[in-house]
Amino acid sequence: MAVSNALAYQHAMCMDLRFDKFTAAIIHKSSKKIVDKKSFSEFDFSREGLDKLLKDDFFKPEFADFVLTAGTVRNTLIPTGIFNVSKPAEIFRLNYTEPLENLDYNRLPELDIVNIYELPIWVKSAFVIRFPRVKILHRSSVLLKGIFDQTVFYTKAHVFIEEGSFYFFITDKNKLIYFNRFDYKNLADIVYHLLFVMEQKS
């Protein structure tokens, strides 16, 4: 169902960018229901390709909010206190080798942590120019916000599987106990990583 310009203010445009797929959904803000969505699996993952993609009529209405999840698979979580006295690149280099892409970060005040991640500058530029009010979040930031938007008092394990990699979270008493991302080639790899972590945490 297409949303008219007159009703666009009641909706949010939520987008997810991966190098091989771009998905967008129009969400009715009060009901939080998807009213329309579109997926693009064949596009040129470049600045020119994004500029062309974002000219699609699907993105023309002036929605109340624009939200994008994007970034590379490399990210790191640190306590807010450490982030406030450190430089993002210094922290990031503790976990990842050079070269580093353009670094960005999301504050997660509900967890008192900051998520530092790589976001190619041309990706950020393409969306900020097209949607000046866009809020950009790393995929793991969105996953964490979603997890802590529900009851997490009792110990829970959360797994989010994508093509080629998956995120694994453990929460207990409203706190994040464990967070990591693993690469995998088959189901056996996923089972191995899950069992190994659970054994270490037991």
Side-chain angles (χ1 to χ4, degrees):
M1 177 187 82
V3 175
S4 67
N5 283 320
L7 296 177
Y9 72 95
Q10 298 177 359
H11 300 79
M13 169 61 71
C14 299
M15 302 165 282
D16 179 59
L17 176 67
R18 297 179 51 168
F19 75 93
D20 59 346
K21 189 176 183 181
F22 180 55
T23 307
I26 300 172
I27 313 292
H28 187 258
K29 294 193 67 172
S30 61
S31 67
K32 296 185 179 180
K33 291 184 178 179
I34 297 175
V35 298
D36 202 359
K37 61 183 177 179
K38 197 165 186 177
S39 183
F40 306 85
S41 56
E42 294 184 9
F43 68 97
D44 179 21
F45 188 68
S46 66
R47 176 60 191 269
E48 296 75 21
L50 278 182
D51 286 343
K52 182 179 179 182
L53 192 79
L54 296 177
K55 290 178 182 176
D56 191 277
D57 288 346
F58 192 74
F59 305 102
K60 282 188 176 179
E62 189 59 34
F63 298 101
D65 300 298
F66 296 89
V67 180
L68 170 71
T69 56
T72 73
V73 295
R74 303 202 312 178
N75 74 295
T76 189
L77 304 178
I78 64 167
T80 301
I82 294 176
F83 178 79
N84 289 339
V85 297
S86 307
K87 295 180 180 178
E90 292 174 353
I91 297 294
F92 207 75
R93 285 191 189 97
L94 295 175
N95 291 325
Y96 299 107
T97 58
E98 301 275 5
L100 305 182
E101 284 270 11
N102 176 64
L103 295 181
D104 209 332
Y105 61 89
N106 302 138
R107 292 183 183 274
L108 304 173
E110 59 269 52
L111 298 175
D112 197 30
I113 59 175
V114 176
N115 185 9
I116 305 172
Y117 61 96
E118 293 174 312
L119 177 66
I121 193 67
W122 62 267
V123 171
K124 185 173 184 177
S125 177
F127 282 92
V128 169
I129 288 174
R130 178 63 184 84
F131 312 110
R133 295 182 290 108
V134 67
K135 182 175 183 180
I136 302 175
L137 299 166
H138 190 261
R139 181 172 288 101
S140 59
S141 296
V142 174
L143 290 172
L144 285 167
K145 285 178 175 289
I147 287 170
F148 282 89
D149 195 36
Q150 57 185 324
T151 302
V152 288
F153 183 78
Y154 298 104
T155 304
K156 288 185 180 180
H158 313 262
V159 180
F160 178 72
I161 301 175
E162 298 182 298
E163 186 174 342
S165 69
F166 71 96
Y167 289 95
F168 183 35
F169 309 82
I170 298 176
T171 56
D172 183 42
K173 296 181 176 60
N174 299 318
K175 293 183 179 179
L176 181 65
I177 303 301
Y178 180 84
F179 164 89
N180 209 343
R181 186 198 64 83
F182 299 95
D183 294 322
Y184 73 91
K185 292 183 179 178
N186 51 49
L187 180 60
D189 292 338
I190 298 176
V191 173
Y192 168 79
H193 287 301
L194 294 180
L195 291 178
F196 180 80
V197 172
M198 296 304 290
E199 183 180 1
Q200 298 301 309
K201 289 294 178 181
S202 62

